[in-house]
Amino acid sequence: MKKEETITRRQLISLVIMVQLGTEVLSLPHVEARVAGHDTWLAVLLAALASQVGITLLWWLGSRYPTRIFYAYIPLIVGKPIGTSINLLFGCYYTLSGLLLTLLYSDILKRWLFQLTPRWVLILMILLVCGYAATSTLKQLANVSQTFMVFAYISFVLIVFSGIYGLDVRNLLPILQGGWYPILKGAYSAFSAYVGYDLLLYAYPYVQSQSKKKLLLSMTLANASTAVFYIAVCLICSMKFNLKQLEVIPEPIIFILKNYRVDILQSIDILFLIFYVCIVSATIYVYFFMAVKAFLHLRSQGLGKQHVWVWTMVALCFLGGFFLTKRNDILQFATIQDIMSILLVIGLPAVLLIISGLRGAGRNEI
């Protein structure tokens, strides 16, 4: 296994933001409109609060084992057989998450830009780039993601300036028309948009921080930044379109950009999609990186080499792309992944924290 170098709290913030954004910025207003109606922004805000609870759980769990990564201290809590099974489960989860994101964005690219390009070509290009990046160390990934943050800033500016014209605040009213149930249901659907903070499971011992509280503060800042991005997107789309329009437009942000005209720029939607490839790629290669680390820790002394695992995953994901070709199948796959996300990044850490507290495991670890 490659020896990791430490990263700064600023690099951690960049990594988490890039992983959290993914493709949800493009589709979240559409998905939430079908569930939460006018109150999409409120559902997204509640999802952000739920993810903050998850961050606190992971931080609390990691603080009990400050010198070990998640995959290394699981066996200390539940024993080696169960710990190995959990590591295998996380490896498969992150691999499938990377595959899902690749399929979703290649589908978007094909529908909006490359109608005549074979779908497998788009998938292969994304997988090769992300696979190569996933063979790097955490420090190298942090450096790349910190550089890619400029594309997140540019994307946010493009969204805000293209969407501020023709807004109708009345589309947000009435608030809580259907009560809290649709909003809570929408928060459940939106929670997967914030998944990515679980990078802390691996990064905890490698972050340079003078205190544990500052590490939690950095994670909170990253989550809050993502929440601002998502809420702004949902508010703009909700005020730009009525509810029926949002329910039929799968990527309303791209639709807004496509119809926005600037004298010095042409086809802003194309420019946005090109920029956003960098953000999506950052999410995918971090997923692959996390999957590899889980597979490597199937044995305490390590199992295989990082690059072998990476390219094996890339090959399997490429083959999987030939089986999931219909959009409805991909969306059903995404629904399953949403359930797995809640179980693995909220439910399981909570259970492990309880068991660790009862057994006193890691309490005296330096």
Side-chain angles (χ1 to χ4, degrees):
M1 292 183 284
K2 291 186 177 181
K3 184 178 179 181
E4 296 288 3
E5 301 174 277
T6 58
I7 62 175
T8 64
R9 288 189 292 118
R10 182 176 295 181
Q11 288 175 319
L12 176 67
I13 292 172
S14 300
L15 265 172
V16 173
I17 291 175
M18 295 295 285
V19 178
Q20 283 185 319
L21 290 178
T23 62
E24 301 291 346
V25 170
L26 308 179
S27 59
L28 193 59
H30 165 73
V31 174
E32 290 301 301
R34 304 175 71 176
V35 180
H38 299 283
D39 301 314
T40 58
W41 65 274
L42 188 54
V44 171
L45 176 60
L46 289 180
L49 297 177
S51 66
Q52 184 59 41
V53 173
I55 288 172
T56 306
L57 286 174
L58 298 189
W59 170 80
W60 196 357
L61 183 61
S63 65
R64 300 182 66 86
Y65 309 87
T67 62
R68 296 173 182 265
I69 66 170
F70 178 72
Y71 307 126
Y73 64 69
I74 286 180
L76 301 179
I77 302 175
V78 295
K80 287 187 177 180
I82 299 178
T84 300
S85 300
I86 292 176
N87 284 343
L88 178 61
L89 180 61
F90 268 95
C92 294
Y93 163 72
Y94 284 120
T95 302
L96 293 176
S97 296
L99 170 60
L100 174 63
L101 198 55
T102 302
L103 295 176
L104 286 172
Y105 202 66
S106 61
D107 177 67
I108 291 172
L109 289 175
K110 184 168 179 59
R111 284 187 288 108
W112 287 94
L113 291 181
F114 305 109
Q115 291 88 353
L116 301 180
T117 303
R119 183 169 163 274
W120 66 266
V121 174
L122 300 175
I123 294 174
L124 181 61
M125 291 174 63
I126 295 174
L127 287 177
L128 288 177
V129 172
C130 296
Y132 177 75
T135 60
S136 307
T137 63
L138 181 65
K139 177 75 171 181
Q140 292 168 333
L141 292 183
N143 290 333
V144 174
S145 297
Q146 199 169 23
T147 303
F148 281 176
M149 275 296 292
V150 67
F151 296 111
Y153 298 141
I154 294 174
S155 299
F156 185 76
V157 170
L158 286 175
I159 289 172
V160 171
F161 278 93
S162 63
I164 58 176
Y165 300 101
L167 300 181
D168 189 351
V169 181
R170 291 174 298 178
N171 287 344
L172 299 176
L173 303 175
I175 299 175
L176 295 175
Q177 182 180 19
W180 281 100
Y181 177 73
I183 296 176
L184 293 175
K185 190 176 179 181
Y188 166 80
S189 301
F191 177 77
S192 61
Y194 293 94
V195 171
Y197 67 79
D198 44 307
L199 175 66
L200 185 63
L201 291 172
Y202 182 81
Y204 191 101
Y206 301 117
V207 182
Q208 298 174 355
S209 181
Q210 296 177 350
S211 68
K212 298 175 183 178
K213 291 183 178 179
K214 287 187 177 180
L215 179 56
L216 177 60
L217 180 62
S218 298
M219 292 295 298
T220 302
L221 180 59
N223 190 62
S225 300
T226 305
V228 170
F229 201 126
Y230 282 141
I231 292 172
V233 167
C234 288
L235 284 173
I236 289 173
C237 291
S238 296
M239 289 187 286
K240 195 81 171 180
F241 304 103
N242 60 46
L243 197 56
K244 291 184 178 179
Q245 290 173 325
L246 274 180
E247 290 176 355
V248 298
I249 303 175
E251 291 89 25
I253 281 297
I254 303 179
F255 191 87
I256 291 173
L257 292 169
K258 193 176 185 65
N259 290 277
Y260 184 66
R261 296 288 182 267
V262 181
D263 293 338
I264 60 175
L265 290 176
Q266 185 177 6
S267 302
I268 298 180
D269 58 315
I270 296 177
L271 184 66
F272 175 83
L273 287 172
I274 292 173
F275 284 153
Y276 214 76
V277 168
C278 298
I279 299 176
V280 173
S281 297
T283 308
I284 297 171
Y285 66 59
V286 170
Y287 280 153
F288 284 168
F289 177 83
M290 292 285 284
V292 167
K293 294 303 180 180
F295 290 137
L296 289 174
H297 282 82
L298 291 177
R299 290 194 311 186
S300 57
Q301 67 272 29
L303 181 62
K305 296 182 179 180
Q306 181 172 337
H307 68 275
V308 175
W309 278 109
V310 168
W311 294 117
T312 300
M313 283 192 304
V314 167
L316 291 175
C317 288
F318 180 64
L319 292 176
F322 287 97
F323 293 94
L324 290 169
T325 57
K326 296 181 180 179
R327 180 172 172 79
N328 288 337
D329 294 339
I330 297 175
L331 294 179
Q332 288 181 356
F333 182 27
T335 302
I336 297 174
Q337 196 260 358
D338 289 345
I339 299 173
M340 292 178 63
S341 296
I342 293 177
L343 293 177
L344 292 182
V345 303
I346 288 283
L348 184 59
V351 172
L352 291 175
L353 184 60
I354 293 172
I355 296 175
S356 177
L358 293 175
R359 297 182 59 184
R363 182 172 298 166
N364 298 321
E365 185 175 326
I366 298 176

